[in-house]
Amino acid sequence: MDFPSFYLDHLAGGRLIIGLIASLHVLINHPLAVGAYPLLTWMEWWAHKNNRPDVDHLAYRITFVVFIVTTTVGAMTGVGIWLSTSIFAPFAIGSLLRVFFWGWFLEWLVFISEVALILWWFLSWKKADKPEKKRKHIKIGVALSIMSWLTMAVIVAVLGFMMKPGEWNQTRAFWDAMTNPLYLPQLGFRTFFAVMTGAVFLWFFSFFFTKKKGALNPDPRRLREWIIYRLSHVVLISLLGTYAFGTWYWNAVPETMKANSSVALLTQEFMSWHRQFQTLLGWTLIAFLMVGVGGLDRSSMIPRWALLIPAVLSIWLIGHFERAREFMRKPWVIGEYMYSNGVHKDELAFLQSEGLLKHATYVKHREITESNKVECGQDIFMLACSRCHSTTGLNGVIEKLTAMYGPDKPWDSAGMQLFIKGMHQTRTFMPPFPGTDVEAGALVAYLQQLRTHPQTLPGAQSAGIVIAPEALKPSKIADSQPTL
Amino acid sequence: MPALIATIPIPRDLPLPLPVPEWLLVVCLVVFFLVHILFVNLMVGGSVFVVVAEWMGLKNKRWDALAHEIAQTVTVNKSLAVVMGIGPLLCINLLYTIQWYSANALTGHAWLLIIPLVIVAFLLTYLHKYTWDTWAKGRKKTLHQAIGITAMLLFFFIPVIFLANVNLMLFPSEWEKVRGFFSSLCIGNVLPRYLHFMAASIAMTGLFLAGYFGRRNADISHLDDFTCPELRRLFYKVCAYVTLGQFAFGPLVLFTLPSDGITTQVYVIIFSGAAVGLLTLWLLFGELRRDDTRIGSRYWPIAALFSIVVIGIGSGRHVYREAALAGHKAAIKNRTERYAAALADFNKNLAAAPAPAGQSAEQLFMNCAVCHAPNVKLVGPPLTEIAQIYAGNPEGIVTWAKAPGKKRPELPQMPPFNHLGEASLRKIAELMLEKGATSK
């Protein structure tokens, strides 16, 4: 990649951070925004129709929590996915923005309206004191629910068409992504999952808000029963939807994998993920089912802690679900166009023949000699491997090599070099090595040195950059003079 | 000057065209950015007003009520600042791909810190706002004030990170000197720009609040002891005096700018902006001299003039940026084109070369040789051992290689080779058996 390499060695380069931010975002966005807004709007409407100020007030108090969380952690983790990708994989996000510009732009417009609506809805709640004002206020809630669902529908499509190989026509790729066999089951799964978890979230918080008697809450017990009884219905119905769409998704995956050649390669890894998904889905749904059925019976109320079980399982499930995208994408960041380390498919043979160092910018040397071999190897590691591996930490290359070659005997350099040259065949989720034989040799020298002298590799954010002069043919020097 | 080439990084650009015409992106960048920065100004400036007014409220309660009222605007403006920031980020990513991402990476730690810092700052502003009536006395009030101050300090710091990036991207010749975020602050003129920005935050918030409290349906019944004209005058005054100060900060920014991008055009734009600024100031001071019944009647003309000034500054910035980076952009374009040409040449020759007639068994076997050596255990068992197990049964090897099981507990699992295809695996298997049999 031709950008200064941001790198957090102990954290698998920094990929882990993107993953954490993205998971947190989904965990907030699904239950609290997509799931909770329609339920809260419905509560407000019901309270208005049946003249139950206590229900209205409860909805308001839960909305307060939703409002605080979504406008702080929710919004900033959304932006955070982008900010963290910008430093970790600028080549990928930079290309994606150029190719899928309108998708992102649309997402932005929807997001603006979502934020404007949540501000408006929550902050004007208590000002809607007359019936006609209340009706208008409920409509804002409806619009907000639609917008937050749309945000999800658009982003799922954008993520989906990022995986479509070589579809450069924007509109076509966009519609293709929506007709992708995984799109509808995925969207349906996410929607019902969001409502189901959103209902449990509301349920959990209503415990806190139905404790004490108040002017707006004359009969806390009645209110609590009211909400739990209804939320358990919501849980049970959305559970059916989650199950139906989850199963559809599960059945659609193998077919899609066959259709998509880059995916078909990693069958083994993916299939084990796939089976785990089914098991997890089963357990999660059982947990929600117990809670839902328990809630139907008004007299025996589910204790507060019991709600944490389905909550934890659903966090696990969605985390697992999100990893599918990672799995399906490797070794590409953009299907059949760009590998995870920023090398383009069409420049691979060129780099393998000419050399990675020759055409890179942020490297110390361009010619490999016996004395600078290790330094060159380090730069090559940074360019070719560092987006997925740490040196000695998480998913560390030394750890992987130790598992292969054993901890107690010397590693055979020639064998390692052979492995690197064929690493995309042996481990199909790795891209091919984008350099010459000599460069593979330098990389091996670095790895051997790293084994005997483990040392963390600092990224450009702390060590800065070094720029070797461009290796130019003499005739070309004249026209490359920067005119600064 | 080869030495110069060595220090200015000229990376290759991404080989993809811009999705929309460049001029459109430029317009969007300037406009979206100003909208974004307006809300940022109101957020940062608002937090300052809140802290100051709350502190004055210790002596006289009426200020406390005013601080509370202003705090209500900060939480709204902060949300708008975030969403409206996405548009300009999109544009700058596209227009200055190389320069922007490079600056982000070079200040990477701080850049990542933006996320938690903003979250904490936002949570604190909510805490501050919603505990106003409950934490109103004694120790609790002190704690309450401390929360407000912490949020304000975070709002002071976060813009520095963005400024450092916006600044650093302009000076590729300095990138090699950067060792992390703090060292990037020594480059260009971050500090003057920061002062300019902070002053603008105060001035803009003053103008905003003058309008907010002066609007026709403003309900300030809960702010006892304040009248609308009084508030309007107060915030006008803040706006006017700080804007006067900008006539010191502005030139400071201009004259500390590295000369790389200073062109006559930049001067013309900036000085025209400053001239409109003077006119605005004159109107503002005029407003202050009016009596209570008429103060505020020129609000909209003043706001319009301010917008013109701000657009002037924004365009001036852009023109400077373009001029400062013109050489760099041209050099990058040149390098990208040369690379693309060499690549196209190479791929053309590659395509013209006679297609390699299917890989030979020996070549295919290299896939396995990584782990299987003739006599010794490399990663997997040696060929001799395999030849024993599968003597006369190449099909068995093919089946295994397509979906290897787990046999030997001391060895890692072998990866599957289904992707090589049945025919190739068959060739490999036969060769393997042959090699295994001969290397005894």
Side-chain angles (χ1 to χ4, degrees):
Chain A
M1 71 171 198
D2 224 8
F3 293 90
S5 298
F6 173 86
Y7 191 52
L8 293 172
D9 196 356
H10 35 284
L11 291 176
R15 214 173 27 149
L16 194 69
I17 291 186
I18 304 181
L20 284 179
I21 296 175
S23 308
L24 191 58
H25 183 66
V26 171
L27 283 175
I28 288 171
N29 175 276
H30 282 14
L32 267 69
V34 180
Y37 292 150
L39 293 174
L40 291 165
T41 309
W42 171 77
M43 280 173 77
E44 189 190 11
W45 170 81
W46 195 91
H48 174 64
K49 208 179 101 198
N50 297 291
N51 195 19
R52 280 282 294 273
D54 57 335
V55 171
D56 185 85
H57 188 61
L58 178 62
Y60 174 75
R61 294 183 74 180
I62 300 176
T63 306
F64 173 72
V65 178
V66 172
F67 171 75
I68 299 286
V69 177
T70 51
T71 56
T72 55
V73 191
M76 276 316 290
T77 45
V79 179
I81 298 174
W82 190 1
L83 296 186
S84 53
T85 316
S86 297
I87 49 179
F88 184 67
F91 48 84
I93 189 87
S95 305
L96 290 171
L97 290 181
R98 291 191 190 195
V99 177
F100 304 127
F101 175 77
W102 292 107
W104 295 111
F105 194 74
L106 179 67
E107 175 72 8
W108 180 45
L109 297 184
V110 182
F111 184 45
I112 295 179
S113 38
E114 190 189 334
V115 170
L117 285 167
I118 177 70
L119 288 170
W120 191 13
W121 194 47
F122 176 69
L123 296 173
S124 65
W125 195 302
K126 290 288 167 183
K127 289 178 195 143
D129 44 7
K130 293 193 201 71
E132 63 274 21
K133 277 195 184 165
K134 195 68 185 168
R135 274 195 290 278
K136 187 176 150 209
H137 189 258
I138 294 169
K139 282 191 191 132
I140 306 174
V142 173
L144 172 62
S145 308
I146 294 173
M147 279 305 165
S148 74
W149 183 82
L150 262 185
T151 316
M152 181 179 80
V154 173
I155 197 74
V156 170
V158 170
L159 294 177
F161 75 119
M162 268 161 42
M163 286 195 265
K164 282 296 271 189
E167 300 271 8
W168 296 126
N169 179 324
Q170 292 235 1
T171 38
R172 208 183 79 213
F174 199 74
W175 295 121
D176 271 1
M178 294 216 166
T179 53
N180 176 315
L182 289 185
Y183 182 70
L184 280 183
Q186 197 186 149
L187 188 62
F189 172 75
R190 285 179 192 266
T191 306
F192 283 104
F193 178 84
V195 175
M196 184 172 77
T197 47
V200 170
F201 165 80
L202 257 61
W203 188 333
F204 187 72
F205 269 89
S206 51
F207 276 111
F208 296 93
F209 297 142
T210 54
K211 261 202 261 175
K212 274 187 282 190
K213 255 190 191 174
L216 280 164
N217 184 11
D219 187 353
R221 196 175 164 80
R222 172 173 173 234
L223 180 59
R224 192 186 289 186
E225 282 179 3
W226 180 91
I227 184 145
I228 291 182
Y229 182 67
R230 278 161 185 81
L231 286 179
S232 50
H233 279 82
V234 175
V235 168
L236 291 174
I237 293 170
S238 46
L239 186 143
L240 288 180
T242 311
Y243 174 73
F245 280 100
T247 313
W248 182 7
Y249 179 81
W250 197 78
N251 287 325
V253 162
E255 197 185 316
T256 324
M257 283 178 56
K258 264 179 248 143
N260 190 338
S261 66
S262 77
V263 168
L265 296 178
L266 14 136
T267 28
Q268 200 184 37
E269 293 270 337
F270 192 79
M271 289 320 277
S272 85
W273 171 87
H274 188 211
R275 278 188 297 274
Q276 285 165 14
F277 174 71
Q278 198 192 27
T279 322
L280 250 177
L281 181 67
W283 282 111
T284 312
L285 292 183
I286 289 174
F288 277 96
L289 184 72
M290 311 248 289
V291 166
V293 171
L296 285 180
D297 178 3
R298 296 170 193 223
S299 53
S300 74
M301 273 192 239
I302 304 266
R304 205 179 310 178
W305 59 263
L307 295 177
L308 295 177
I309 299 171
V312 168
L313 274 171
S314 60
I315 290 176
W316 195 356
L317 177 70
I318 203 74
H320 200 68
F321 185 74
E322 293 303 326
R323 269 181 64 199
R325 281 215 314 278
E326 284 291 305
F327 264 107
M328 309 243 282
R329 218 158 57 186
K330 272 177 199 159
W332 305 102
V333 258
I334 306 178
E336 297 286 330
Y337 174 71
M338 184 189 264
Y339 291 108
S340 310
N341 52 11
V343 172
H344 292 84
K345 183 185 182 189
D346 74 345
E347 62 182 359
L348 183 67
F350 179 64
L351 292 177
Q352 282 173 339
S353 138
E354 298 237 318
L356 191 57
L357 295 181
K358 178 173 166 193
H359 293 286
T361 303
Y362 302 106
V363 292
K364 295 183 202 71
H365 315 278
R366 294 186 187 282
E367 299 290 336
I368 299 177
T369 63
E370 218 26 67
S371 56
N372 70 15
K373 214 170 166 179
V374 172
E375 279 191 337
C376 289
Q378 182 174 336
D379 281 338
I380 292 166
F381 177 83
M382 193 61 115
L383 292 170
C385 323
S386 71
R387 298 304 100 184
C388 304
H389 288 289
S390 69
T391 54
T392 49
L394 265 176
N395 202 22
V397 70
I398 294 301
E399 177 202 325
K400 300 284 156 217
L401 287 167
T402 311
M404 268 177 79
Y405 294 113
D408 39 15
K409 51 182 185 185
W411 299 343
D412 173 35
S413 288
M416 285 167 73
Q417 197 167 330
L418 216 55
F419 168 82
I420 288 171
K421 302 261 320 165
M423 65 183 201
H424 58 298
Q425 298 285 12
T426 330
R427 288 290 183 193
T428 43
F429 35 78
M430 283 203 267
F433 178 68
T436 61
D437 287 356
V438 183
E439 287 176 337
L443 176 57
V444 169
Y446 169 65
L447 294 174
Q448 294 278 23
Q449 150 112 3
L450 196 61
R451 182 189 183 199
T452 47
H453 302 91
Q455 200 178 24
T456 47
L457 176 57
Q461 78 278 17
S462 41
I465 47 175
V466 181
I467 306 145
E470 199 188 342
L472 292 174
K473 298 199 187 73
S475 64
K476 294 269 172 82
I477 290 183
D479 57 43
S480 78
Q481 292 279 337
T483 48
L484 289 177
Chain B
M1 286 182 292
L4 195 67
I5 305 179
T7 52
I8 302 179
I10 313 285
R12 283 173 280 129
D13 198 358
L14 300 170
L16 287 168
L18 288 179
V20 274
E22 189 171 341
W23 64 264
L24 187 60
L25 281 176
V26 170
V27 173
C28 289
L29 175 62
V30 173
V31 174
F32 292 161
F33 179 72
L34 289 177
V35 174
H36 164 65
I37 209 73
L38 173 68
F39 287 113
V40 173
N41 281 334
L42 298 183
M43 169 183 90
V44 175
S47 71
V48 179
F49 281 83
V50 170
V51 165
V52 173
E54 190 181 11
W55 177 70
M56 289 166 70
L58 292 181
K59 288 226 179 72
N60 184 340
K61 270 285 165 220
R62 70 175 194 151
W63 290 103
D64 194 83
L66 181 64
H68 192 182
E69 181 71 18
I70 299 173
Q72 319 275 340
T73 69
V74 175
T75 48
V76 172
N77 288 328
K78 68 114 184 59
S79 275
L80 295 174
V82 169
V83 271
M84 298 318 293
I86 295 176
L89 199 58
L90 198 64
C91 297
I92 204 164
N93 275 235
L94 287 165
L95 280 171
Y96 300 100
T97 309
I98 294 290
Q99 293 85 2
W100 180 247
Y101 290 134
S102 303
N104 296 168
L106 287 171
T107 60
H109 285 311
W111 183 253
L112 264 189
L113 263 184
I114 290 174
I115 305 160
L117 288 181
V118 173
I119 292 178
V120 172
F122 283 9
L123 286 172
L124 288 177
T125 44
Y126 279 134
L127 186 65
H128 193 233
K129 173 174 145 185
Y130 288 111
T131 52
W132 206 287
D133 295 328
T134 40
W135 296 358
K137 289 207 180 60
R139 286 243 179 91
K140 283 205 172 152
K141 186 66 179 172
T142 315
L143 176 66
H144 188 254
Q145 284 183 302
I147 292 169
I149 293 173
T150 315
M152 178 187 76
L153 292 178
L154 283 171
F155 283 138
F156 280 6
F157 178 66
I158 295 160
V160 183
I161 305 179
F162 282 101
L163 262 177
N165 275 271
V166 174
N167 173 70
L168 184 59
M169 69 174 268
L170 295 177
F171 310 111
S173 56
E174 308 282 320
W175 291 352
E176 215 177 7
K177 293 181 200 152
V178 177
R179 300 280 177 278
F181 167 68
F182 288 105
S183 71
S184 77
L185 299 179
C186 313
I187 290 162
N189 65 343
V190 183
L191 185 66
R193 273 183 91 160
Y194 180 66
L195 293 176
H196 194 44
F197 160 82
M198 289 305 286
S201 293
I202 304 287
M204 279 301 157
T205 312
L207 186 67
F208 163 72
L209 290 176
Y212 183 77
F213 288 116
R215 69 193 196 280
R216 198 157 298 138
N217 54 354
D219 172 19
I220 60 160
S221 48
H222 53 294
L223 300 178
D224 5 304
D225 308 337
F226 278 115
T227 64
C228 275
E230 187 187 1
L231 285 173
R232 186 158 249 193
R233 189 178 304 276
L234 170 72
F235 289 114
Y236 261 147
K237 224 182 239 170
V238 174
C239 177
Y241 283 103
V242 177
T243 306
L244 192 63
Q246 288 290 49
F247 281 88
F249 292 131
L252 185 67
V253 173
L254 191 58
F255 297 129
T256 52
L257 263 180
S259 59
D260 309 29
I262 301 277
T263 58
T264 345
Q265 210 188 352
V266 174
Y267 275 125
V268 170
I269 296 176
I270 298 275
F271 283 117
S272 329
V276 181
L278 271 180
L279 181 64
T280 321
L281 209 54
W282 178 72
L283 275 182
L284 254 176
F285 279 105
E287 282 273 86
L288 285 177
R289 277 196 301 275
R290 284 161 196 263
D291 59 36
D292 277 3
T293 50
R294 284 169 57 237
I295 187 165
S297 55
R298 294 253 173 89
Y299 185 76
W300 289 111
I302 291 177
L305 282 179
F306 256 115
S307 314
I308 296 177
V309 176
V310 170
I311 289 175
I313 295 175
S315 327
R317 286 251 172 87
H318 180 75
V319 171
Y320 176 83
R321 185 161 54 218
E322 275 299 300
L325 288 175
H328 195 234
K329 281 178 109 176
I332 287 178
K333 185 156 178 278
N334 177 295
R335 167 125 194 251
T336 310
E337 280 167 2
R338 273 185 294 126
Y339 181 80
L343 179 62
D345 255 5
F346 178 88
N347 282 338
K348 207 168 79 198
N349 291 338
L350 197 69
Q359 287 187 309
S360 71
E362 207 48 73
Q363 281 167 322
L364 283 168
F365 176 68
M366 292 317 279
N367 283 314
C368 323
V370 183
C371 301
H372 296 291
N375 287 311
V376 290
K377 196 169 84 185
L378 216 53
V379 179
L383 298 181
T384 45
E385 190 181 327
I386 293 179
Q388 263 169 17
I389 304 176
Y390 291 97
N393 177 19
E395 226 15 77
I397 298 187
V398 174
T399 316
W400 165 271
K402 280 205 285 200
K406 184 92 185 83
K407 269 194 183 171
R408 300 164 182 77
E410 77 282 7
L411 295 181
Q413 184 163 16
M414 172 175 145
F417 281 88
N418 207 1
H419 54 279
L420 293 183
E422 185 86 35
S424 303
L425 283 176
R426 177 83 199 198
K427 277 197 223 170
I428 296 176
E430 276 158 11
L431 184 71
M432 223 176 192
L433 289 179
E434 196 183 308
K435 281 185 189 254
T438 51
S439 44
K440 270 188 189 139

